[in-house]
């Protein structure tokens, strides 16, 4: 199975270099790494090119349009997604392939995370953050949500939903939006293995945190009334049966 890794980036050259170095150390190397330069003003594109990544440009600012640009261009059977400030463990690609190549595999998988920066005493709280995100988003979805810093799905799953997702809306959470659409007809499973290293930067600013919360509500509400929770819960229960 060919593996494509997609990384949207905007003005994050130094951390992108760290991320690409970690990808270069994978026990199972990906077949391609696609870096989508989202109107960066720094050396992000140059850093990606020097590391051997395939560099694309997305002039529309926003993670959703940038990520969708990468997914469209991916040539792999599996599409893996992480952020430029992530540090994937050496087994990340190997774990994803193992989870998605087995018989009756889910359409997508998502895994855990650990903070790699910020106050040392708070670095272990990533699990609590993900738990809160899973509970809040799962209440709207009726199933497990995808977590954008550590997720993967089949190319077939993307082709099924690429014309449905809100790819041009910069004020939504693209991973939660994708959860709605992939989960409508498929299954989202849990990725086992070592957690993804992620940054605590989004929580350094109260304004930034509030914006993330507002985007979460917007992402849920744009799917109503068609995806109103009681009806979605029932459909999810029927699929599991």
């Amino acid at each position: 199975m060919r593996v494509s890794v997609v990384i949207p980036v905007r003005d994050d050259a130094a951390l992108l270099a760290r991320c690409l170095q970690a990808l270069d150390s994978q026990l199972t190397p990906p077949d391609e790494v696609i870096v989508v330069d989202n109107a960066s003003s720094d050396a992000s594109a140059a850093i990606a090119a020097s590391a051997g990544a395939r560099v694309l440009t997305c002039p529309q600012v926003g993670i959703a349009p940038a990520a969708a640009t990468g997914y469209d261009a991916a040539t792999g059977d599996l599409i893996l997604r992480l952020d430029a400030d992530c540090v994937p463990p050496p087994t990340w690609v190997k774990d994803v392939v193992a989870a998605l190549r087995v018989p009756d595999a889910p359409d997508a998988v998502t895994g855990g995370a650990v903070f790699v920066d910020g106050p040392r005493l708070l670095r272990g709280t990533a699990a609590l953050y993900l738990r809160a995100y899973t509970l809040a988003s799962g209440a709207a979805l009726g199933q497990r949500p995808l977590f954008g810093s550590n997720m993967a799905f089949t190319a077939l799953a993307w082709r099924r939903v690429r014309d449905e997702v809100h790819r041009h809306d910069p004020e939504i959470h693209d991973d939660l939006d994708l959860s709605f659409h992939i989960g409508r007809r498929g299954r989202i499973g849990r990725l086992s293995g070592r957690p993804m290293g992620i940054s605590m930067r989004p929580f350094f600013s109260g304004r930034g945190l509030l914006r993330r919360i507002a985007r979460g509500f917007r992402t849920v509400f744009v799917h109503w009334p068609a995806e109103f929770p009681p009806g979605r819960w029932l459909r999810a229960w029927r699929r599991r049966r």
Side-chain angles (χ1 to χ4, degrees), residues 39-122:
S40 295
S41 59
D42 67 358
S44 292
I47 290 291
S50 65
R54 179 183 170 194
V55 182
L56 306 177
T57 59
C58 177
Q60 182 184 358
V61 175
I63 296 178
T69 297
Y71 304 155
D72 284 342
T75 62
D77 305 291
L78 304 180
I79 301 174
L80 286 60
R81 152 74 192 283
L82 75 169
D83 293 317
D85 58 6
C86 289
V87 183
T91 58
W92 183 56
V93 174
K94 179 181 178 181
D95 291 339
V96 170
V97 173
L100 290 177
R101 74 183 305 174
V102 297
D104 197 33
D107 300 272
V109 291
T110 192
V114 61
F115 290 126
V116 294
D117 57 18
R120 190 169 297 276
L121 291 177
L122 297 178

Side-chain angles (χ1 to χ4, degrees), residues 211-223:
R211 188 178 186 187
R212 291 173 69 87
I213 294 173
R215 285 177 172 176
F217 279 105
R218 174 174 173 79
T219 307
V220 172
F221 293 156
V222 297
H223 293 91

Side-chain angles (χ1 to χ4, degrees), residues 79-215:
I79 301 174
L80 286 60
R81 152 74 192 283
L82 75 169
D83 293 317
D85 58 6
C86 289
V87 183
T91 58
W92 183 56
V93 174
K94 179 181 178 181
D95 291 339
V96 170
V97 173
L100 290 177
R101 74 183 305 174
V102 297
D104 197 33
D107 300 272
V109 291
T110 192
V114 61
F115 290 126
V116 294
D117 57 18
R120 190 169 297 276
L121 291 177
L122 297 178
R123 293 186 184 181
T125 61
L128 296 176
Y129 161 64
L130 280 179
R131 182 65 175 169
Y133 168 70
T134 299
L135 289 174
S137 302
L141 292 167
Q143 65 188 82
R144 185 190 311 275
L146 292 167
F147 174 52
S149 295
N150 186 5
M151 69 181 190
F153 43 89
T154 66
L156 177 59
W158 170 247
R159 289 195 294 270
R160 287 172 176 164
V161 304
R162 57 183 292 179
D163 295 326
E164 302 174 1
V165 297
H166 297 77
R167 59 193 298 156
H168 298 298
D169 188 341
E171 292 303 320
I172 67 162
H173 284 305
D174 66 300
D175 48 359
L176 182 54
D177 181 52
L178 196 57
S179 302
F180 271 100
H181 295 278
I182 289 182
R184 180 179 297 161
R185 57 176 63 89
R187 294 186 297 120
I188 298 174
R190 177 179 175 272
L191 177 63
S192 59
R194 292 174 58 183
M196 175 70 67
I198 63 172
S199 175
M200 199 183 289
R201 292 185 304 169
F203 305 96
F204 292 166
S205 165
R207 183 178 179 182
L209 180 59
L210 289 175
R211 188 178 186 187
R212 291 173 69 87
I213 294 173
R215 285 177 172 176

